[in-house]
Amino acid sequence: MAKSAREIGQSLFPAPGGDEAGRAAGTVLDLLQGRPRARRATESDMEAYSRAAATGDPQAQYELARLLVSGRPLSIQNREAAKWLRKASAREHAASEALLGLLYARGQGVRPDPERAVALFRAAAVSGNAAAQYHLGIALENGFGTEKNEREALSWFRLAGAQGHLLAQLHVGRCYRQGRGCRPDPVQATLWLRRAASQGHPQAALELGLLYGEGLGLKVRPEESAAETFKWISRAAAEGLAEAQYRLALLYSVGRGCEADPSRALEWARAAAASGHAGAMLFLGSCLRHGDGAPRDLPGALALARRAGELSGGALGRGALEEIEAVASPEEKAQAQELLRRSGGNAELIASTLARSRGKNRPGSFENR
């Protein structure tokens, strides 16, 4: 079934605000887009902006809209925000054009209108608004409300990235890494990903680490490549990114950029698997099957492999399941099924299986070492 314009827009463009009106207090999105953290707005702020907006001040109209905008697409607050943004946009207020375009792209408080969203993004982008430049790049990259043009998308990403827009810097790095709108250039990809990663963007740190891990086109020594891979993936893992935690577990398991440490590999895989990462769940199952980092436990390995298959929709774990079931006894298979039955969530299943492998009697009592 084809997705609606609203569904596509909401999958491509970030929500401009949360459920509370005080979005101006500084959100993760603000930080990613290079805006400094501000204090939380008060009722007196709302009243002051309302008075100034009524006089026709476009900046006040924009600030009031930012306070009103909500994550609920059809809320009254969003419709009120759109009203003020239209007034400010009529006076070519770039920030208002960018935010109004985002509402039209997502169908938030207004009917979704991809073409109008792109027109507003372009008007604000030409005026130098970094958020609009980034959103225009996303539209061009995906053919949303306009013809697909990856080369032009890269140009807008670069302009936004040069202003410090972290998501734009991430996209420039991806473009150069994958050859989207340009020839693949790992050196440029490294430079742009490093810009975002150095400012704390976990996804950029992960992708920078993976780029060093590939080592293609980068004139660095193998040991330097391994060290950079470990450094950046570790940063992303510490920020809670499940894919990075899984990748870090793999690095610890083979000793790439670090000393091999099966126990630490197990703990990082556990963190990723608890978040629903199927590959990490399968990795844990392999650890229990072979006794890497934890005592060998075939029923626990079988239970984890089955859960990995569930999490991946059957894409992962089939081979591991067949191998384990070929050597597991009927009793061990029954124990694995009981583990799955008694453990609802992923974290509970992991704790139960690891507790079993360490010879404990109380499932779920395993603690981080």
Side-chain angles (χ1 to χ4, degrees), residues 53-240:
T55 68
D57 182 342
Q59 182 63 31
Q61 291 167 343
Y62 166 70
E63 295 295 347
L64 178 58
R66 287 194 71 208
L67 295 179
L68 288 168
V69 73
S70 165
R72 297 184 296 275
L74 301 179
S75 74
I76 295 175
Q77 284 185 323
N78 280 321
R79 293 197 291 272
E80 183 73 6
K83 180 192 77 173
W84 289 112
L85 290 172
R86 290 191 191 98
K87 292 179 180 293
S89 295
R91 301 182 65 177
E92 298 182 349
H93 188 267
S96 296
E97 291 171 329
L99 183 52
L100 182 59
L102 196 55
L103 296 184
Y104 275 112
R106 291 176 51 83
Q108 190 162 324
V110 295
R111 289 189 177 183
D113 190 335
E115 288 75 20
R116 187 168 184 183
V118 170
L120 285 163
F121 289 154
R122 191 175 291 279
V126 170
S127 297
N129 183 275
Q133 291 168 346
Y134 167 71
H135 293 139
L136 180 57
I138 291 293
L140 288 162
E141 186 177 59
N142 293 277
F144 179 86
T146 184
E147 291 187 9
K148 186 173 182 177
N149 189 328
E150 292 183 332
R151 184 176 294 276
E152 186 183 356
L154 175 58
S155 297
W156 289 114
F157 287 145
R158 285 179 60 95
L159 287 170
Q163 296 191 63
H165 194 293
L166 300 192
L167 291 174
Q169 293 170 352
L170 171 63
H171 275 72
V172 175
R174 286 175 172 172
C175 288
Y176 280 117
R177 183 183 178 196
Q178 300 168 8
R180 297 203 312 254
C182 59
R183 291 183 179 180
D185 188 333
V187 174
Q188 283 293 316
T190 300
L191 291 173
W192 283 96
L193 289 173
R194 187 183 292 274
R195 287 187 183 184
S198 297
Q199 297 177 74
H201 195 295
Q203 185 63 37
L206 169 61
E207 295 189 25
L208 179 58
L210 294 177
L211 184 59
Y212 272 110
E214 295 167 357
L216 300 177
L218 297 176
K219 297 179 180 180
V220 295
R221 299 187 304 275
E223 60 272 20
E224 181 182 349
S225 176
E228 289 292 308
T229 299
F230 180 80
K231 169 186 172 181
W232 293 108
I233 290 181
S234 293
R235 287 195 185 185
E239 292 296 322

Side-chain angles (χ1 to χ4, degrees), residues 308-309 312-318:
S312 65
L316 290 178
R318 184 175 302 174

Side-chain angles (χ1 to χ4, degrees), residues 254-297:
V254 299
R256 178 169 172 76
C258 59
E259 292 292 330
D261 190 332
S263 295
R264 298 198 73 176
L266 188 79
E267 293 308 319
W268 281 110
R270 178 187 180 182
S275 299
H277 193 289
M281 190 73 74
L282 192 60
F283 180 90
L284 286 178
S286 177
C287 290
L288 292 187
R289 180 187 176 192
H290 299 288
D292 294 332
R296 187 174 182 274
D297 183 67

